[in-house]
Amino acid sequence: MSKLRIGLLGTGPWAERTHAPALAAHPGLELSGVWGRRPEAASALAAAHGATAHSGEVGLDALFAESDAVAFALPPDIQAPLAARAAAAGCHLLMDKPVATTVAGAREVADAAAATGVSSVVFCTLRFAAGTAGWLGEQAAKGGWFTAHAYWLGALYSPGGTSSYADSPWRREKGGLWDVGPHALSVLIPLLGEVTDVTAVRTEPDLTHLVLRHVSGAASSVALSLSAPKAGAGTGIELRGEHGTAALPGEWGDPVTSFGAAADALLESVRTGQPHACDVRFGLRLTEILTEAEQQISA
């Protein structure tokens, strides 16, 4: 099988540190080009990986034409319409989470992918990370979980923070609910089943609590923030059920390797024609749940 030509949309820190290195090094992929809203950034990132740089509308169409698939490292509501265009052009999709922050935006992508029959994978990190993917599969196979508690408490916006990801306007606007909420849901749903009901409460500065009911009859709770004190930040999931307790492993692995595993999943879906469990339809469902939570908070 010849290499799948894949283009990259986005030139920010995530694209530079994770997406581009993973795609360029993947034995089953050829990095066909890099598109960016800033031409100079696209040129620099493309040059670093021996790819062609693109910008603007003409460049976007050119990248779609010379690619079999497209990966995204863009804010969600810029990602979504461009992903719909890519799907309409016949490109398979390797998307970031969340797919979009509106149901209409996420549904547009899902409908476009369905209309052309392209494959899609949404990079929910813990579904692909070496340190967590196997654990997740083991716990799902056990079943019998009574409840779960998850917390994703980041210190991105705590005093003294220096992360380059804090410069992201959409993260600052949408907060932990939308940035790390997809991670929690992407783990809880395969363990406890589809979410049937959500209750959301938010306190300042950006601490959201979710209580979820699942189709299995289990209930779970989630705490989400990007503004936790540094000393109190952390991530974890604890499961309780018929087999006792289980905790999410603390070591997840290198993000570049994890993204490479997501690319593996896309290649497998393209090869077999079988949809991946973490595809754009799953991404749409995450957006629906988070939108319901956001509406409760805003009411």
Side-chain angles (χ1 to χ4, degrees):
M1 182 178 178
S2 60
K3 291 186 177 183
L4 192 81
R5 301 171 303 162
I6 189 164
L8 173 60
L9 273 62
T11 58
W14 196 225
E16 181 181 2
R17 298 170 188 172
T18 300
H19 290 59
L23 298 176
H26 197 289
L29 300 174
E30 175 189 340
L31 184 58
S32 52
V34 176
W35 180 91
R37 291 173 288 172
R38 295 177 294 120
E40 66 280 5
S43 295
L45 187 57
H49 297 282
T52 303
H54 298 276
S55 62
E57 288 293 314
V58 173
L60 193 65
D61 290 334
L63 183 59
F64 292 162
E66 62 191 39
S67 302
D68 305 305
V70 180
F72 295 83
L74 294 168
D77 294 325
I78 295 174
Q79 168 182 240
L82 295 183
R85 285 177 59 178
C91 295
H92 305 291
L93 307 175
L94 182 50
M95 302 186 69
D96 207 353
K97 58 77 201 163
V99 168
T101 65
T102 67
V103 173
R107 183 170 291 125
E108 180 186 14
V109 184
D111 288 348
T116 55
V118 299
S119 296
S120 61
V121 168
V122 179
F123 183 45
C124 295
T125 308
L126 300 187
R127 298 286 288 269
F128 302 99
T132 56
W135 176 88
L136 178 58
E138 291 171 4
Q139 309 317 315
K142 285 181 182 179
W145 298 112
F146 170 71
T147 189
H149 173 62
Y151 59 91
W152 256 258
L153 303 174
L156 198 64
Y157 298 120
S158 64
T162 59
S163 172
S164 58
Y165 297 109
D167 295 332
S168 167
W170 85 265
R171 282 189 176 87
R172 187 173 291 277
E173 176 190 357
K174 305 301 285 188
L177 176 67
W178 284 96
D179 188 28
V180 294
H183 289 311
L185 292 172
S186 74
V187 173
L188 293 173
I189 290 174
L191 292 174
L192 303 180
E194 176 59 84
V195 173
T196 60
D197 187 60
V198 56
T199 300
V201 176
R202 178 175 175 174
T203 59
E204 297 300 332
D206 177 38
L207 174 60
T208 300
H209 289 275
L210 305 179
V211 177
L212 308 171
R213 290 182 181 176
H214 298 264
V215 69
S216 64
S220 64
S221 61
V222 188
L224 307 165
S225 181
L226 296 180
S227 301
K230 286 186 178 181
T235 299
I237 292 182
E238 182 186 72
L239 305 172
R240 291 182 176 271
E242 296 174 1
H243 306 286
T245 64
L248 183 74
E251 295 295 327
W252 300 351
D254 177 31
V256 173
T257 303
S258 301
F259 194 70
D264 288 339
L266 181 65
L267 286 168
E268 180 68 9
S269 180
V270 171
R271 184 184 69 81
T272 65
Q274 296 299 311
H276 190 270
C278 204
D279 65 1
V280 70
R281 293 174 299 177
F282 182 72
L284 168 59
R285 182 61 188 135
L286 297 184
T287 295
E288 290 173 340
I289 295 168
L290 295 172
T291 297
E292 171 62 22
E294 186 175 61
Q295 290 173 346
Q296 290 186 23
I297 292 166
S298 302

